[in-house]
Amino acid sequence: MDWIKILTYATHLFSYSFNIILLYVVAKNSKVIKTKGYITHMIWVELVLNFCQHFSVEYVLEAEDESSLHFLESVCVLFMTLQMWTVNTIRYIMTFLMAANRFVCIINPRFSKFFDSETVTFFGVGIWILAFIGSWYLLLLGCFPRFDSETFVLDTECNYLIWPDFVYKSHYLLILTLILNVMIVVYAKLRRSGVFKVVIARVSVIAANRRSRHETMFIIQSLIVFIFMAYDAVYTSLRKIYEPQFNQLPNNFQIFLGWLNIFSANYINFLIYFLFHKSNRLLVLRTIFCDPKWLKNIKVRPS
């Protein structure tokens, strides 16, 4: 299990560092980053997720006596609940809201006023409250989460709903988010082709090809993010359906799949707001390297 500990410590160190830097970047460049309301919520989601994992996963691995495990069952179930339901719900809703924002604004930019930072922040706080209440309601129903240190699986025992069904339903927003992102590109291409009676400024062939490449990359990036975020639903469902086959896999491979299911979510902000976001990437690099000369001449567009 030493290699799992190394992976876990490296993941936490990286995720904490990146999100704190990103939070500083957003605060420092609030006039440039138009989507700061979304990004701030996503940062706190990942920070809370990291903190919950210390008690819902790592504490269990370190616990050696019955008293420690009893403490876990009576107190740390809160952190398991936050990790499994609250932060995931917030992340799914915020990513869907971002896609809806892009979709509505590309159809009619005048509607962008309904998605300003203050509105998104207020709406996000409401999501945090409702998600937390909903998580506690599941606890009242008897849906207590548990972590199996042998197979590295974070699961729940519930007499009122089947876990795979719950996971599928909670991931519908991810499918809708992917569909909206695809529709954005499809609508943009149809509008330029003349299907819709909209005045479109003519651009050079080079600019048109560049825009087409960006649209294609946007679809690929949306698909990659969807795969990362939907891995939980796929893994959980397949593990339940094909449990005998999973049990026959090598123990280290089972542990790695379980670890990936729990900790891959700690890299989603890095994926969305660094690898796939040029403007934010430049701002983060300038912050890390103290505004180096090789980045000074690159302009950062409002995003």
Side-chain angles (χ1 to χ4, degrees):
M1 295 291 288
D2 289 341
W3 61 278
I4 282 292
K5 289 183 179 180
I6 294 173
L7 280 175
T8 302
Y9 294 154
T11 296
H12 283 310
L13 179 62
F14 177 83
S15 186
Y16 276 128
S17 301
F18 175 76
N19 282 286
I20 290 172
I21 291 173
L22 188 60
L23 190 63
Y24 172 78
V25 168
V26 172
K28 183 180 178 181
N29 303 275
S30 58
K31 294 182 179 179
V32 178
I33 302 177
K34 303 299 181 182
T35 56
K36 56 182 177 293
Y38 296 111
I39 300 177
T40 303
H41 281 292
M42 295 290 278
I43 290 172
W44 282 110
V45 162
E46 207 152 286
L47 290 174
V48 172
L49 178 63
N50 273 278
F51 187 74
C52 289
Q53 288 168 348
H54 297 323
F55 294 92
S56 61
V57 177
E58 288 125 46
Y59 181 83
V60 183
L61 295 176
E62 297 295 333
E64 297 179 354
D65 51 48
E66 292 295 329
S67 60
S68 298
L69 292 175
H70 180 71
F71 172 78
L72 171 73
E73 293 173 356
S74 59
V75 177
C76 294
V77 67
L78 167 64
F79 295 99
M80 290 188 184
T81 303
L82 287 173
Q83 178 180 341
M84 293 181 69
W85 296 321
T86 305
V87 295
N88 283 334
T89 300
I90 297 164
R91 177 175 269 167
Y92 302 153
I93 294 177
M94 294 307 293
T95 51
F96 172 75
L97 186 62
M98 281 188 278
N101 186 351
R102 286 191 295 263
F103 182 73
V104 169
C105 292
I106 196 173
I107 292 177
N108 193 332
R110 289 181 297 178
F111 289 112
S112 60
K113 62 183 179 181
F114 298 110
F115 294 93
D116 57 28
S117 181
E118 289 75 16
T119 302
V120 172
T121 300
F122 177 79
F123 184 74
V125 171
I127 295 173
W128 277 87
I129 296 173
L130 292 176
F132 184 76
I133 294 174
S135 297
W136 274 98
Y137 176 70
L138 290 173
L139 285 179
L140 292 176
L141 289 178
C143 301
F144 293 101
R146 59 181 176 79
F147 175 70
D148 189 340
S149 58
E150 295 295 327
T151 56
F152 222 91
V153 171
L154 190 62
D155 209 337
T156 185
E157 296 178 352
C158 187
N159 297 324
Y160 293 89
L161 52 84
I162 301 175
W163 172 238
D165 293 343
F166 173 75
V167 172
Y168 272 131
K169 291 174 183 177
S170 67
H171 283 71
Y172 282 157
L173 280 177
L174 295 181
I175 300 175
L176 291 176
T177 301
L178 180 63
I179 292 173
L180 276 177
N181 287 332
V182 173
M183 289 176 64
I184 290 170
V185 175
V186 171
Y187 175 79
K189 291 183 179 295
L190 290 176
R191 187 175 62 175
R192 291 197 302 273
S193 67
V195 174
F196 302 104
K197 295 181 179 179
V198 180
V199 178
I200 303 296
R202 293 185 177 181
V203 296
S204 65
V205 176
I206 296 177
N209 292 335
R210 186 187 302 115
R211 180 166 54 189
S212 180
R213 288 196 301 271
H214 287 168
E215 290 171 347
T216 302
M217 286 301 300
F218 178 71
I219 294 298
I220 295 174
Q221 292 167 3
S222 299
L223 181 61
I224 293 174
V225 173
F226 170 78
I227 292 173
F228 258 79
M229 296 183 70
Y231 176 78
D232 179 33
V234 177
Y235 169 79
T236 304
S237 299
L238 291 178
R239 184 178 52 79
K240 288 289 187 180
I241 296 172
Y242 302 103
E243 186 173 0
Q245 289 81 355
F246 264 84
N247 293 335
Q248 293 176 3
L249 294 173
N251 187 54
N252 283 339
F253 189 58
Q254 290 187 51
I255 291 174
F256 176 72
L257 290 176
W259 182 92
L260 197 62
N261 180 50
I262 295 173
F263 290 97
S264 61
N266 299 56
Y267 294 94
I268 290 178
N269 282 356
F270 175 75
L271 198 67
I272 298 176
Y273 299 121
F274 188 84
L275 290 183
F276 295 159
H277 202 297
K278 182 179 179 180
S279 297
N280 283 350
R281 181 166 64 249
L282 291 173
L283 291 173
V284 170
L285 289 175
R286 286 179 177 176
T287 300
I288 295 175
F289 295 103
C290 300
D291 202 13
K293 295 181 179 179
W294 48 278
L295 283 177
K296 283 186 177 181
N297 296 328
I298 303 178
K299 294 183 178 179
V300 177
R301 297 180 179 180
S303 59

